[in-house]
């Protein structure tokens, strides 16, 4: 059966990596949330300051509920910071806030990977939601319905592409964030290392997601070949 076949073991390394990434980002964020910056600026104040200095001060900065729910919305053209980031003056908050501003700067600059991801997102969402149901139906019924496995694999490939394109988008936003925090004097030299550690930890979650997607795609290809 699909859920209890030997190929499931292919996912275990990715699962371990995902668990490690989630634990690492949670612990690193918590650690540097306790380290206050010398400037005393909150995440929201830093974000607004950078946006203004970059000529896009008209982008609103909102507070949203949750933990690490921070994001930049390219369609609404607004920046949302989670409660632990919005009003905090910690090294962690400043790093996360600057990272989200980095996405706004990517949008302004027409950064190609971000543009592709934004356009491709609806396709990837559809692919992610429909891929496994289609594949499982085709796998169980096979015969004349075997083509559903191929369609499921095609849809899931779209989700994998989305995860892969997300990597340079996130890495670039973090590089922009650190450069601005350092060059703009928002963080002192000894505080920069903490911000880097927070953003590096967050990057592992995207690496883990991409690894899981690739592992699942390989699994589907093996199952499809074995079903012939």
């Amino acid at each position: 059966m699909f859920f209890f076949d030997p190929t499931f073991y292919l996912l275990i390394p990715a699962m371990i990596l995902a668990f490690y990434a989630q634990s690492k980002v949670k612990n690193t964020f918590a650690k540097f949330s306790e380290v206050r910056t010398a400037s005393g600026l909150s995440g929201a104040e830093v974000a607004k300051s950078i946006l203004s200095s970059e000529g896009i001060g008209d982008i609103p900065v909102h507070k949203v509920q949750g933990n690490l729910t921070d994001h930049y919305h390219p369609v609404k053209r607004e920046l949302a910071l989670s409660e632990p980031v919005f009003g905090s003056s910690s090294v962690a908050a400043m790093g996360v806030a600057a990272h989200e501003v980095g996405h706004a700067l990517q949008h302004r600059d027409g950064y190609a990977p971000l543009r592709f991801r934004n356009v491709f997102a609806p396709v990837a969402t559809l692919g992610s939601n429909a891929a496994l149901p289609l594949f499982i139906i085709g796998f169980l019924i096979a015969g004349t319905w075997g083509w559903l496995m191929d369609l499921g694999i095609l849809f899931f490939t779209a989700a994998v592409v989305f995860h892969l394109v997300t990597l340079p988008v996130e890495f670039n936003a973090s590089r922009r964030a650190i450069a601005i925090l350092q060059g703009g004097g928002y963080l002192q030299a000894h505080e920069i290392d903490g911000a880097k550690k927070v953003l590096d930890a967050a990057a592992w979650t995207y690496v883990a997601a991409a690894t899981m997607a690739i592992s699942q795609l390989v699994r589907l290809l093996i199952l499809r070949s074995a079903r012939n």
Side-chain angles (χ1 to χ4, degrees):
M1 295 296 292
F2 178 81
F3 293 106
F4 302 100
D5 64 276
T7 64
F8 181 81
Y9 292 104
L10 290 171
L11 304 181
I12 292 179
M15 290 177 177
I16 294 173
L17 180 59
F19 177 79
Y20 166 79
Q22 288 296 328
S23 177
K24 184 176 179 63
V25 70
K26 181 180 178 180
N27 293 335
T28 306
F29 183 83
K31 175 181 178 179
F32 288 99
S33 289
E34 300 299 323
V35 180
R36 301 302 164 189
T37 62
S39 69
L41 295 173
S42 69
E45 289 171 334
V46 169
K48 292 176 182 178
S49 176
I50 298 174
L51 290 169
S52 178
S53 66
E54 292 289 337
I56 49 177
D58 57 323
I59 294 179
V61 179
H62 300 304
K63 179 167 63 175
V64 293
Q65 293 183 339
N67 188 35
L68 295 177
T69 50
D70 314 85
H71 62 277
Y72 170 70
H73 199 301
V75 176
K76 295 181 179 179
R77 199 168 171 269
E78 63 183 23
L79 196 148
L81 298 179
S82 62
E83 294 173 334
V85 170
F86 188 90
S88 173
S89 59
S90 69
V91 168
M94 195 171 286
V96 172
H99 174 89
E100 297 309 328
V101 172
H103 288 310
L105 297 179
Q106 290 173 336
H107 191 192
R108 178 201 65 184
D109 298 340
Y111 181 61
L114 178 67
R115 292 173 60 186
F116 178 82
R117 189 179 74 167
N118 291 342
V119 171
F120 198 69
V123 177
T125 300
L126 174 63
S128 180
N129 292 334
L132 291 183
L134 287 172
F135 184 90
I136 292 172
I137 293 172
F139 182 84
L140 294 177
I141 299 177
T144 57
W145 293 98
W147 61 272
L148 288 176
M149 286 188 286
D150 297 326
L151 184 59
I153 289 174
L154 180 62
F155 277 14
F156 198 81
T157 299
V160 171
V161 170
F162 180 82
H163 283 294
L164 292 176
V165 173
T166 292
L167 295 179
V169 172
E170 297 300 329
F171 295 159
N172 179 265
S174 290
R175 285 195 295 269
R176 289 174 184 248
I178 294 301
I180 291 173
L181 291 175
Q182 193 167 29
Y186 293 100
L187 289 180
Q188 296 186 0
H190 67 279
E191 297 170 331
I192 287 293
D193 183 59
K196 286 181 178 178
K197 288 180 178 178
V198 170
L199 297 182
D200 287 346
W204 274 104
T205 62
Y206 298 103
V207 173
T211 302
M212 176 62 79
I214 293 171
S215 299
Q216 184 68 278
L217 178 60
V218 171
R219 182 190 180 209
L220 296 182
L221 290 170
I222 293 174
L223 289 172
R224 176 67 180 92
S225 178
R227 203 72 172 93
N228 285 336

